[in-house]
Amino acid sequence: MIVHIPHPDLPPPSTSTGIIGWLRSNLFSSPANSLLTLFALYLLYHFIPPILNWTLLDANWVGSTKDACTNDGACWVFIKVRFHQFMFGFYPSSEYWRAILAFILIGLLILYLLIDRTPKKSWVAAFTVLIFPIIAFFLFYGGFGLPVVETYKWGGLMLTLILSTIGMFFALPFGIILALARRSSMPIPRALSILFIELWRGVPLITVLFMSSVMLPLFMPEELRIDKLLRALIGISLFQSAYMAEVVRSGLQALPKGQSEAADALGLGYWQAIFLIILPQALKTVIPGIVNTFIELFKDTTLVLIIGLFDLLAIIQAAFTDPKWLGFSVEGYVFAGLLYWIFCFSMSQYSQHLERKLHTGHTN
Amino acid sequence: MTPTKQPIPKTAWWNNARNRALLFQALLICAVVGFFAYIANNTMHNLEQRGIATGFSFLKQKAGFGIIQTLIPYTEANTYGRTFVVGLLNTILVSVLGIICATILGFIVGVARLSSNWLVSKMAAVYIETFRNLPLLLQIFFWYFAVLRTLPSPKQSLHIGERFFLNIRGAYLPRPIFEDGFGWVTATLVFVALCILFLKLWANKRQEETGQQFPVLLTSLGLLVSLPTIAYFAAGAPLQWELPALKGFNFQGGITVIPELAALLIALTVYTASLIAEIVRSGILSVSHGQTEAASALGLRPGKTLRLVIIPQAMRVIIPQMTSQYLNLVKNSSLATAIGYPDLVSVFAGTTLNQAGQAIEIIAMTMAVYLTISLTISYFMNWYNARSMMKER
């Protein structure tokens, strides 16, 4: 019997595998592509080495005065000397532990809530929303034996985080109410909600901050003095809640009508249907949208420097005017940019991860 | 058996859904009216205490401060009302320039992100991820304080030939001076535009009737280049350039681009382009691959597939998002106030407010301007959306 043994497969040609194959298909697939690659390589060659030299290789790391910066590169000593101020503003250094403790606590709580399948999530969530803000307030501001730190001393990254977290804390529930009102069958709540949302979404945040800092004192009784930080927070929360309302509304709209009809059929009342059936599903689908809104809010908090609060950007900007440290603005901006970038980028990666996780449908 | 009529159980009136809704809405109106009455009352009282008169008569008062960039004639002797117009025009200038530049850059980066060239695609990704994750204000500050404010003084200007100069006071470009005969060139341009329009209509009609195509693009380009050039030389080259020149400590003549405008424009362009690039990418990716395959099955070449099949469908996704980015750009241009570019917020809600003290009127006017722009554009957007919605048969 003759057994036909086919000739074993030849290996693929060496020009289509390995590094050479990858280069051919990804960088030099056509003459135009090759030109593009060479141009891109030229750009990289032109920009990357000077940037590396400036930021790392020729940079100055040690010392404590301007004179220590003798190399051509960046003078990171400036950042090192002012690091505490950039983090905490004018918060007294003996009380730093309070701010750090508050941030560690909220970080742990959020981490606990974000990790899948941790037990007793609802209790932890209730604690985070209802009790933790009170603890945080006393930690930051003082009271119960802790010395009081007035809000004008708050600043730096701490203030940026406080502004964006509290802004979010108020914007989310208010946004949900607005979104429900906009979808309501009653004409008056719907009209009011549309008016509110379109008004705030149509104007820039700066004018809102101007308004809250200039006009709010006019609106309130004379004897009521509103703290500058509080005024900014009111402006930011109102502004953000309009955006949040639109995000939540998109989630409500995406929910099939059968869900609310099923709730009606089960005999649930309006609020029961909202809290047990509608909101849990709608909010889940818009978590990425909520995270994106939070990123926007985080970036927008920089605007408070225009009304005279010292957030991260403002305090770095203020440090440039120190006569002992003139001429280090690039270092300052790079440092601020790096911090903002790390926060925003990690949050946007998380949001994309969620989008992939929640995306169970089949689209093209 | 006859069905027995069940008596409808009597319910209390407050358990009736309609009555409840009415009651709730009445309470809501009372609350809102009460809230505004409270605020109005406080405001009246506070204004009286501070001796501020309400009303818009302040707009006719003399302003008494200078503005570094004005598109219309303006001096310190003009009124507060005129500062409003000057600021508004400056806002419109930077917004329009920003929208044009950001769209071009955004499209280039978005297409580069989809490129089959690995290196180009990765570089576009780095660009997008870097600039969209940095606060816009930080970027404006960077370009203004760290880049443009460290340029050399006018005497040591960076320059290209004797035409373009760049220094700490700004960029100086040649200014075109149109002489008498230039009207002929403009008239020719209008004529060519009309010709191209009719050519396109005729070519479309001919293609529908006979199936033959006419090279509209090449013909149009030829017309567009040749006829105005002929008109230009026939009229005796009626265009001169006024060159900027160093006189004393500063440049005179030409067009001056102040560094505030340049920094704002660069930052707005770079930031918005990173967002537009993502929109362009998602738009093109949203057209399913089946469309491309169907087009090649019909025998369309790749260029035509892109132009006739992919882009029209991608535009449906791209344009609404793009409009909201344009709106954001207009609103973000108000950050000008942080570096002193004289836009509406900086001039009117800044300097004028501080001098005139009419906080309520000025902020209301400023907000009304932005609100009008936003609502107008979103109205057109809704109209466009309704028109371009997928027509499913």
Side-chain angles (χ1 to χ4, degrees):
Chain A
M1 200 177 93
I2 300 167
V3 178
H4 176 70
I5 301 171
H7 189 278
D9 289 347
L10 285 174
S14 64
T15 50
S16 66
T17 54
I19 295 174
I20 295 173
W22 185 87
L23 284 177
R24 271 180 77 114
S25 62
N26 287 304
L27 296 180
F28 302 100
S29 57
S30 69
N33 244 344
S34 309
L35 271 181
L36 215 57
T37 307
L38 290 180
F39 177 66
L41 282 176
Y42 171 76
L43 278 185
L44 289 180
Y45 169 75
H46 202 74
F47 284 108
I48 298 294
I51 291 178
L52 271 184
N53 278 340
W54 186 82
T55 48
L56 298 172
L57 300 178
D58 290 344
N60 301 279
W61 301 90
V62 285
S64 56
T65 58
K66 189 179 174 179
D67 303 327
C69 292
T70 48
N71 291 345
D72 295 338
C75 180
W76 298 121
V77 180
F78 170 59
I79 306 294
K80 206 174 73 181
V81 169
R82 299 220 160 221
F83 185 76
H84 286 137
Q85 207 187 37
F86 291 167
M87 291 298 111
F88 299 99
F90 307 108
Y91 211 76
S93 53
S94 56
E95 312 294 329
Y96 282 169
W97 64 271
R98 283 158 45 180
I100 295 172
L101 180 65
F103 282 124
I104 290 179
L105 276 177
I106 185 76
L108 288 177
L109 285 171
I110 290 179
L111 203 66
Y112 189 88
L113 291 174
L114 291 184
I115 294 173
D116 290 336
R117 288 189 291 276
T118 40
K120 300 254 194 280
K121 228 172 210 175
S122 49
W123 286 103
V124 177
F127 175 78
T128 313
V129 174
L130 300 176
I131 301 178
F132 180 74
I134 303 169
I135 300 175
F137 174 79
F138 285 113
L139 276 176
F140 282 118
Y141 185 76
F144 282 124
L146 294 171
V148 169
V149 183
E150 293 292 341
T151 54
Y152 67 83
K153 289 184 179 163
W154 301 13
L157 182 64
M158 182 185 104
L159 186 66
T160 297
L161 289 172
I162 290 177
L163 279 171
S164 42
T165 322
I166 301 186
M168 192 67 185
F169 182 78
F170 286 109
L172 188 58
F174 203 49
I176 292 175
I177 294 175
L178 281 171
L180 288 175
R182 191 163 182 172
R183 303 257 302 156
S184 152
S185 56
M186 290 185 263
I188 289 169
R190 196 169 64 226
L192 286 175
S193 153
I194 291 177
L195 200 68
F196 183 94
I197 293 173
E198 295 303 326
L199 177 73
W200 292 126
R201 272 162 45 96
V203 297
L205 180 57
I206 285 201
T207 56
V208 177
L209 287 175
F210 268 151
M211 196 187 96
S212 63
S213 77
V214 179
M215 282 162 75
L216 213 57
L218 286 178
F219 289 160
M220 291 294 133
E222 226 181 328
E223 55 282 0
L224 195 69
R225 287 257 167 272
I226 311 178
D227 186 87
K228 203 197 250 175
L229 178 65
L230 192 61
R231 278 186 257 162
L233 270 175
I234 292 175
I236 288 178
S237 305
L238 288 177
F239 183 78
Q240 207 59 33
S241 59
Y243 282 85
M244 197 56 80
E246 288 298 276
V247 172
V248 175
R249 188 167 74 108
S250 74
L252 292 175
Q253 267 173 349
L255 207 62
K257 203 157 177 279
Q259 294 291 330
S260 59
E261 285 168 354
D264 284 347
L266 285 174
L268 296 180
Y270 177 77
W271 291 111
Q272 280 175 316
I274 290 289
F275 279 113
L276 298 175
I277 311 285
I278 310 287
L279 274 186
Q281 299 183 67
L283 286 183
K284 198 176 156 193
T285 60
V286 294
I287 291 176
I290 293 176
V291 178
N292 287 340
T293 320
F294 185 72
I295 297 176
E296 290 303 310
L297 172 63
F298 189 78
K299 288 191 285 181
D300 279 347
T301 54
T302 50
L303 301 200
V304 296
L305 87 86
I306 287 162
I307 58 166
L309 289 173
F310 286 98
D311 75 321
L312 177 60
L313 183 59
I315 206 142
I316 290 181
Q317 183 82 5
F320 299 152
T321 56
D322 181 348
K324 276 185 274 178
W325 290 98
L326 288 177
F328 293 106
S329 54
V330 180
E331 284 86 345
Y333 290 131
V334 169
F335 176 69
L338 193 67
L339 281 183
Y340 279 112
W341 191 85
I342 290 172
F343 274 98
C344 295
F345 184 71
S346 46
M347 282 190 285
S348 81
Q349 291 305 103
Y350 176 70
S351 143
Q352 281 171 24
H353 158 79
L354 272 181
E355 236 164 282
R356 278 194 295 273
K357 203 175 89 177
L358 297 173
H359 182 84
T360 46
H362 303 277
T363 52
N364 49 60
Chain B
M1 205 172 91
T2 50
T4 49
K5 251 197 182 161
Q6 292 247 329
I8 297 168
K10 275 240 160 88
T11 49
W13 68 269
W14 60 83
N15 273 342
N16 181 320
R18 255 190 70 198
N19 292 343
R20 271 193 181 197
L22 281 177
L23 184 71
F24 173 72
Q25 295 189 72
L27 283 177
L28 189 67
I29 287 185
C30 289
V32 171
V33 170
F35 177 72
F36 279 106
Y38 173 72
I39 281 183
N41 187 26
N42 282 333
T43 312
M44 288 302 176
H45 179 74
N46 284 328
L47 288 178
E48 231 169 76
Q49 289 280 311
R50 299 180 192 191
I52 302 174
T54 52
F56 288 93
S57 55
F58 74 96
L59 288 174
K60 296 212 173 63
Q61 287 170 17
K62 188 168 161 277
F65 60 89
I67 299 178
I68 52 173
Q69 178 194 301
T70 57
L71 296 181
I72 51 171
Y74 170 86
T75 61
E76 291 182 13
N78 284 122
T79 58
Y80 285 137
R82 196 149 176 104
T83 62
F84 173 75
V85 181
V86 169
L88 180 58
L89 287 177
N90 282 340
T91 292
I92 293 175
L93 173 75
V94 74
S95 308
V96 170
L97 289 178
I99 284 175
I100 296 171
C101 299
T103 310
I104 297 171
L105 186 61
F107 262 90
I108 294 174
V109 177
V111 172
R113 181 76 184 87
L114 287 172
S115 162
S116 62
N117 189 317
W118 183 85
L119 195 59
V120 171
S121 163
K122 283 290 173 276
M123 277 168 75
V126 168
Y127 172 90
I128 294 170
E129 290 301 341
T130 308
F131 288 106
R132 73 169 183 175
N133 284 319
L134 289 177
L136 179 58
L137 192 59
L138 176 75
Q139 298 189 32
I140 294 177
F141 278 164
F142 177 80
W143 291 111
Y144 186 63
F145 290 111
V147 178
L148 296 179
R149 290 267 107 184
T150 54
L151 286 172
S153 67
K155 293 232 160 164
Q156 282 102 38
S157 297
L158 309 171
H159 59 92
I160 308 173
E162 288 299 307
R163 286 163 203 282
F164 302 94
F165 296 91
L166 186 66
N167 60 47
I168 192 165
R169 304 260 177 91
Y172 297 84
L173 321 169
R175 180 208 299 273
I177 301 171
F178 304 110
E179 288 169 358
D180 284 342
F182 201 78
W184 286 106
V185 182
T186 322
T188 320
L189 270 177
V190 174
F191 175 71
V192 170
L194 284 176
C195 281
I196 292 174
L197 189 69
F198 282 115
L199 184 70
K200 177 74 187 151
L201 289 176
W202 172 80
N204 278 357
K205 199 165 161 234
R206 194 176 81 138
Q207 190 181 356
E208 296 217 336
E209 282 169 2
T210 64
Q212 286 173 317
Q213 291 182 340
F214 187 80
V216 179
L217 187 69
L218 282 178
T219 325
S220 316
L221 276 179
L223 282 176
L224 206 59
V225 173
S226 60
L227 284 185
T229 319
I230 294 170
Y232 176 76
F233 286 110
L239 183 66
Q240 297 284 328
W241 294 94
E242 180 193 278
L243 299 184
L246 188 64
K247 292 209 177 101
F249 291 109
N250 210 347
F251 279 88
Q252 304 280 322
I255 299 174
T256 311
V257 181
I258 55 171
E260 289 82 9
L261 173 63
L264 189 62
L265 190 59
I266 298 173
L268 282 175
T269 302
V270 167
Y271 178 74
T272 314
S274 71
L275 302 169
I276 289 181
E278 274 299 276
I279 293 171
V280 170
R281 185 173 85 106
S282 70
I284 293 179
L285 285 182
S286 75
V287 181
S288 76
H289 194 60
Q291 299 284 329
T292 320
E293 286 167 352
S296 21
L298 286 174
L300 290 180
R301 271 175 289 157
K304 287 218 152 162
T305 310
L306 194 67
R307 200 153 51 83
L308 299 174
V309 178
I310 311 274
I311 288 181
Q313 298 187 70
M315 275 305 172
R316 207 175 277 144
V317 177
I318 290 175
I319 286 191
Q321 298 186 48
M322 202 80 117
T323 322
S324 76
Q325 285 308 326
Y326 289 164
L327 278 179
N328 281 342
L329 191 144
V330 174
K331 286 187 270 173
N332 283 335
S333 73
S334 61
L335 293 183
T337 183
I339 55 170
Y341 172 73
D343 81 322
L344 181 66
V345 173
S346 169
V347 169
F348 193 63
T351 319
T352 304
L353 193 154
N354 283 336
Q355 287 203 7
Q358 304 281 0
I360 297 179
E361 291 86 347
I362 287 178
I363 291 189
M365 277 172 78
T366 313
M367 284 185 154
V369 167
Y370 285 104
L371 208 56
T372 315
I373 298 175
S374 296
L375 292 183
T376 319
I377 295 184
S378 39
Y379 177 79
F380 275 109
M381 212 48 252
N382 289 341
W383 172 79
Y384 173 85
N385 258 347
R387 214 189 61 136
S388 73
M389 231 156 36
M390 182 112 65
K391 293 188 181 62
E392 289 184 356
R393 301 195 180 93

